[in-house]
Amino acid sequence: MEHLTKIKLGAKVSVSYLSPETQNEFINLLGQQVRSTIIRRIQKAKYYCVIFDSTPDISHNDQMSQVLRYVHIEGEKDAVVESFIAFFEPKGKNAEDLSNDITAKHQTDWTYRMAGL
């Protein structure tokens, strides 16, 4: 609202627009940073589990979500934390396909973790 008022009063306003590519790059960088923080916390955690859940989206395509649950201990305080990690589209709906998707995702995460990211 303040921006519109300045324009109406004739104030000089500098405009800066980010291209969609720049916006996506920025979002990806932020996502990598959040993911790195979560992975560092899990590396320190004594207990953690990996949760996968599949549900159809609005266009009736299955979406698999990956959530990590872990015990975060800081000083004398501890908490069970759930962190969303990713969405991906499973390749199939039967047990073998889902199992292969989860295994592939876990291997990718393990590689990511071992790279120290």
Side-chain angles (χ1 to χ4, degrees):
M1 192 70 174
E2 183 180 350
H3 179 71
L4 294 176
T5 305
K6 285 181 181 178
I7 291 173
K8 285 180 183 177
L9 296 174
K12 203 171 203 181
V13 179
S14 63
V15 179
S16 174
Y17 297 104
L18 298 176
S19 70
E21 293 82 14
T22 304
Q23 291 175 12
N24 289 338
E25 183 179 356
F26 187 65
I27 290 168
N28 286 333
L29 289 171
L30 290 173
Q32 288 174 5
Q33 184 63 39
V34 169
R35 186 181 178 100
S36 294
T37 300
I38 292 169
I39 288 174
R40 276 194 302 275
R41 284 183 171 185
I42 290 169
Q43 288 172 328
K44 293 177 185 176
K46 185 172 183 178
Y47 305 104
Y48 73 94
C49 71
V50 182
I51 303 166
F52 287 91
D53 187 30
S54 177
T55 187
D57 64 12
I58 196 163
S59 61
H60 304 291
N61 294 323
D62 273 348
Q63 289 286 323
M64 181 78 75
S65 62
Q66 179 186 10
V67 175
L68 298 172
R69 181 183 294 161
Y70 56 97
V71 177
H72 179 67
I73 300 172
E74 193 169 321
E76 294 293 316
K77 295 182 180 182
D78 57 341
V80 176
V81 179
E82 284 189 5
S83 297
F84 168 79
I85 296 296
F87 272 128
F88 63 94
E89 192 170 331
K91 293 182 178 69
K93 293 185 179 186
N94 63 41
E96 182 179 4
D97 290 337
L98 292 173
S99 187
N100 290 338
D101 287 339
I102 290 169
T103 301
K105 183 69 175 136
H106 184 69
Q107 288 173 341
T108 301
D109 290 345
W110 184 256
T111 302
Y112 187 84
R113 180 178 172 185
M114 294 308 291
L117 300 173

